Amino acid sequence: MTRTAFVFPGQGSECAGLGRELLALRPDLADTYYRTADDLLGIPLARICRDGSPRDFEDPAVAQPAVFLTSLAVLEVLRGEGLEPDAVAGHSLGEYAALAAAGVLEWTEALWLVRLRAELVATAGDRIGSATVAVIGPPRSDLVRLCAEARAATGQVVEVAGDNEPRQTVVSGQAAAVERVAREAGAAGARVERLRTGGPFHSSLLGEAAAEFTETLIATEFRDPAVPLVSGVTGGWVTTAAEAAVTLRGQLTSPVRWTEAVATLAGSGVDRYVEVGPGRVLSGLVRRILPGARVHPTCTADRLLGAVDALTAATV
């Protein structure tokens, strides 16, 4: 029997016009989500998602709410077709959309947290002088070693910040140390991609930002998941409101364990994955983690409608 997970993308999936086709398909979403978000955050997300240029997404405090919001709007389209997941998970920023999809957070509360998170991390990144890279090729153990060597050589902090799939590791930290890791990895034959995250996400450098963010989380109401939920922080199941709050508090300083999260979903019998939101980053990662999995991106109207058809057929 087919089991389906909805997985939600993070920063890096944003693009100009990421909401244009979606709003053309479902104009009502402009009032339900986008204009509500405009009023809440005080920024023109509806216009940016529909007509914005790439420069509009250079600020993480805009890009991250835009990705989150578009993911929630796509989720609304899927649910409007009577389609529900057997489980949900999110990659980094996408964890907030997963929490909203599982009923753990109200979507407006999650949106506000996303904006605050982006602002705090960007401030920390500017103060520290940070960088983030994705290293494709060598195993995670090699990157752990290179980070240790870079710390010893530079006196700066650099850490493994994410395990995206068995051959792709994210490294984050202070700029000189990250550049040393990138240089050494590249010299050994790895492909290195520099990421524009707006700060050293998922590293110990965000301890102060995480403490400030936790103050807001303490005042936020968490609920038990209404849909089975896997955390990208632990790679395991989250079953209570208290567990959800604890994992989210640790998210800023903990590495993303995406390979483990997908393995946990697969271990529960999930064999179909729908990337709910813009881009196709997670579709590619899931295919490399589970070559036999059925994967459906929803980043264009055609792909979204194709996912609806495939899921409806599977349900029948």
Side-chain angles (χ1 to χ4, degrees):
M1 181 178 179
T2 294
R3 286 176 55 82
T4 300
F6 286 1
V7 294
F8 296 86
Q11 187 177 356
S13 294
E14 68 275 2
C15 61
L18 79 171
R20 185 181 303 123
E21 290 190 31
L22 184 59
L23 289 170
L25 184 67
R26 283 279 303 274
D28 59 294
L29 295 173
D31 288 326
T32 307
Y33 287 100
Y34 287 93
R35 292 196 181 101
T36 300
D38 287 356
D39 293 340
L40 180 66
L41 300 184
I43 57 177
L45 274 183
R47 180 192 61 76
I48 292 171
C49 289
R50 186 183 61 247
D51 302 317
S53 70
R55 291 190 63 183
D56 289 316
F57 295 98
E58 291 178 357
D59 182 356
V62 173
Q64 294 198 15
V67 171
F68 169 87
L69 197 60
T70 300
S71 295
L72 264 290
V74 171
L75 177 66
E76 178 71 15
V77 173
L78 294 171
R79 285 182 161 167
E81 297 292 333
L83 300 170
E84 293 288 343
D86 295 296
V88 297
H91 185 282
S92 187
L93 160 68
E95 192 141 18
Y96 289 79
L99 289 166
V104 175
L105 293 173
E106 292 290 341
W107 78 266
T108 51
E109 293 174 334
L111 175 65
W112 182 254
L113 291 173
V114 165
R115 175 70 181 276
L116 175 61
R117 172 182 183 265
E119 291 176 337
L120 289 173
V121 174
T123 299
D126 290 342
R127 184 179 68 253
I128 294 165
S130 63
T132 302
V133 297
V135 182
I136 298 94
R140 183 181 187 276
S141 58
D142 284 5
L143 273 304
V144 172
R145 174 179 56 80
L146 289 176
C147 285
E149 293 172 357
R151 284 196 300 271
T154 66
Q156 292 190 346
V157 174
V158 59
E159 298 167 354
V160 168
D163 176 17
N164 282 346
E165 48 104 337
R167 305 291 287 181
Q168 184 182 132
T169 304
V170 176
V171 171
S172 181
Q174 291 172 281
V178 172
E179 287 304 316
R180 179 185 170 93
V181 171
R183 185 171 61 252
E184 294 294 325
R191 189 169 92 246
V192 178
E193 297 179 357
R194 285 162 175 78
L195 307 179
R196 292 181 298 176
T197 62
F201 276 98
H202 308 295
S203 79
S204 61
L205 289 169
L206 294 179
E208 291 184 15
E212 185 173 347
F213 189 61
T214 296
E215 295 178 7
T216 301
L217 288 180
I218 290 172
T220 302
E221 182 182 358
F222 287 76
R223 304 161 188 83
D224 292 342
V227 177
L229 169 68
V230 172
S231 169
V233 178
T234 65
W237 297 101
V238 175
T239 59
T240 68
E243 288 176 354
V246 168
T247 56
L248 204 58
R249 287 172 194 170
Q251 196 207 44
L252 282 179
T253 55
S254 300
V256 175
R257 298 168 70 173
W258 188 245
T259 300
E260 290 182 52
V262 173
T264 297
L265 290 167
S268 73
V270 169
D271 58 0
R272 188 185 298 272
Y273 297 80
V274 182
E275 183 171 6
V276 182
R280 291 184 287 172
V281 173
L282 297 189
S283 296
L285 296 182
V286 170
R287 286 191 179 101
R288 289 191 287 277
I289 296 168
L290 301 171
R294 287 168 287 188
V295 181
H296 305 281
T298 60
C299 52
T300 65
D302 286 345
R303 290 184 182 276
L304 174 55
L305 294 175
V308 168
D309 289 343
L311 292 173
T312 300
T315 301
V316 174

